[in-house]
Amino acid sequence: MKKVVLVTGANSGIGLALCERLLSHDTEGLHLCLACRNAQRAQAARAALLASHPAAQVDLLQMDTSSVSSVLRAAQEVKIRYERLDFLYLNAGIMPNPEFDAKAFFRGLFSSKAITMFATGEGILTQKDGVTPDGLQQVFATNLFGHFLLIRELEPVLCQEGRTSQLVWTSSSNANRSAFSLEDIQHRRGTQPYSSSKYATDLLSLSLNQHYNKQGLYSSVVCPGFVMTNLTFGILPSFPAFLWTLLMPVFWLIRVFTNTFTLTPYNGSEALLWLFRQKPEFLDPYAKYHSLTSGLGNNYTQPHKMDITFETSESLYSKLLQLESDTRKKVAETQPAGLSPKT
């Protein structure tokens, strides 16, 4: 039987590169579903994939992970279409309204932390978050909570006796403990919502393994490295396009000293593809699997232990369950009966 693979944020960047690589790896053995917010871009991505893999089976699913009702409707559609899901790649993410601290950048450029600054954006990036119509912080909802809600809704097709299914989260090297607080999991009061959401992703993955492994569902976390995607280009919106081109030789030079500069979506998807080939029950739940590219351009995957604790992950999980319950009740007051609270 074909493996059913759903990828969120699949219309561009790492998500689209992953889909291309998955089909190149096993066109006939896959049933691929692209879950995207923008229907037009999703159609273009599907056309591009079918152009290079005419025999591929590629479906589209419209879903905005920042919208609770959109996630619930999409999950219902998935359960109608598919009897099971083998892989769920939780890749959709945003970093809205980034602000670049030029002074901090030039100070860091000539310091011992220059490589780390380039690889993670630490110390030079802040963001102005927004609030969704559901009353949730936009980055938190898009990057974490929407995906959590999707997993909860898809339990019937993810957790089946005698089968294993795998969750693969796209995290970041920018997932810093200092940006996250259990007292403010949505990061309403901070200036680093992206970093907070990615650290929460690492925590949640660990807790999901604790609660779902016995049901055959496993969760892993990936860092794609420093990749030139639309999200990256948005970091410095005032930079003209040609300046990014001029910076590329600098990035290539940095790659000689650090293998985290994967640069292209193809390279950045290396760890996501690597996990597709593994038996999930043998993976380390405390590890983040990094896509790495050597100075010679060779891609490989390497695990690094995450800076997380089991106690914190369980506390976050409890808070997410409570937020899920509260959110469902609000949605149920205004939505059709099919979107009623989970029992």
Side-chain angles (χ1 to χ4, degrees):
M1 296 178 67
K2 290 188 175 184
K3 290 183 178 179
V4 182
V5 181
L6 191 152
V7 182
T8 71
N11 62 273
S12 64
I14 293 167
L16 182 56
L18 169 66
C19 293
E20 173 66 36
R21 295 189 70 177
L22 286 171
L23 291 176
S24 296
H25 175 68
D26 187 9
T27 303
E28 296 183 358
L30 288 184
H31 190 162
L32 191 60
C33 180
L34 316 184
C36 309
R37 178 178 56 184
N38 187 296
Q40 186 175 0
R41 292 178 182 175
Q43 288 283 3
R46 180 176 184 272
L49 291 171
L50 292 177
S52 55
H53 304 281
Q57 194 168 358
V58 182
D59 299 338
L60 297 179
L61 178 72
Q62 189 164 14
M63 180 178 69
D64 179 356
T65 55
S66 72
S67 167
V68 172
S69 59
S70 176
V71 170
L72 295 177
R73 282 194 296 267
Q76 285 188 344
E77 181 64 27
V78 170
K79 288 183 284 189
I80 292 171
R81 290 187 195 178
Y82 312 112
E83 294 182 357
R84 73 182 192 286
L85 274 183
D86 296 286
F87 285 85
L88 176 54
Y89 282 93
L90 304 156
N91 171 73
I94 58 169
M95 183 195 286
N97 307 312
E99 293 189 350
F100 178 70
D101 189 334
K103 290 183 179 179
F105 172 78
F106 285 109
R107 284 197 304 269
L109 191 61
F110 301 102
S111 73
S112 59
K113 296 182 178 181
I115 302 271
T116 301
M117 179 187 71
F118 271 110
T120 68
E122 185 176 354
I124 61 173
L125 291 178
T126 60
Q127 305 98 45
K128 289 185 178 179
D129 204 355
V131 178
T132 72
D134 297 307
L136 303 169
Q137 292 300 116
Q138 188 178 17
V139 176
F140 168 82
T142 305
N143 297 3
L144 183 82
F145 187 67
H147 284 134
F148 174 72
L149 191 59
L150 181 65
I151 294 165
R152 295 275 293 157
E153 277 293 301
L154 294 181
E155 284 180 12
V157 290
L158 285 169
C159 305
Q160 296 186 352
E161 187 175 356
R163 303 188 63 89
T164 60
S165 294
Q166 192 167 357
L167 308 172
V168 181
W169 297 82
T170 301
S171 183
S172 171
S173 57
N174 192 236
N176 298 317
R177 180 199 286 254
S178 60
F180 177 79
S181 170
L182 279 173
E183 304 308 313
D184 183 20
I185 64 172
Q186 295 193 47
H187 206 74
R188 294 184 186 276
R189 298 185 294 273
T191 60
Q192 300 180 69
Y194 180 81
S195 180
S196 175
S197 73
K198 292 304 181 180
Y199 187 78
T201 291
D202 298 349
L203 290 168
L204 178 55
S205 180
L206 177 63
S207 192
L208 288 170
N209 280 307
Q210 172 68 19
H211 292 274
Y212 284 99
N213 280 181
K214 290 183 179 179
Q215 300 176 59
L217 179 61
Y218 296 83
S219 181
S220 298
V221 180
V222 162
C223 173
F226 182 81
V227 181
M228 304 303 289
T229 64
N230 291 335
L231 188 150
T232 312
F233 292 131
I235 291 173
L236 302 176
S238 60
F239 270 29
F242 77 88
L243 191 53
W244 284 111
T245 304
L246 293 177
L247 284 172
M248 285 305 291
V250 177
F251 294 150
W252 284 97
L253 179 62
I254 292 173
R255 181 187 279 176
V256 175
F257 302 98
T258 175
N259 49 15
T260 60
F261 270 51
T262 49
L263 297 183
T264 69
Y266 180 94
N267 295 346
S269 66
E270 179 69 22
L272 289 93
L273 180 65
W274 183 85
L275 285 170
F276 181 78
R277 301 168 175 154
Q278 309 308 307
K279 291 184 180 297
E281 56 267 36
F282 297 118
L283 296 171
D284 182 359
Y286 281 90
K288 182 180 293 185
Y289 293 88
H290 288 247
S291 297
L292 300 171
T293 304
S294 70
L296 297 176
N298 298 316
N299 295 320
Y300 60 103
T301 298
Q302 192 173 81
H304 294 277
K305 190 173 180 62
M306 294 187 286
D307 181 24
I308 57 176
T309 66
F310 176 74
E311 292 76 17
T312 307
S313 73
E314 284 294 278
S315 295
L316 173 62
Y317 188 77
S318 296
K319 287 177 177 290
L320 289 174
L321 287 178
Q322 183 59 55
L323 180 60
E324 176 196 0
S325 176
D326 295 342
T327 303
R328 286 180 182 276
K329 290 175 183 176
K330 291 180 182 178
V331 171
E333 294 173 359
T334 58
Q335 297 296 327
L339 302 181
S340 57
K342 187 182 181 70
T343 57

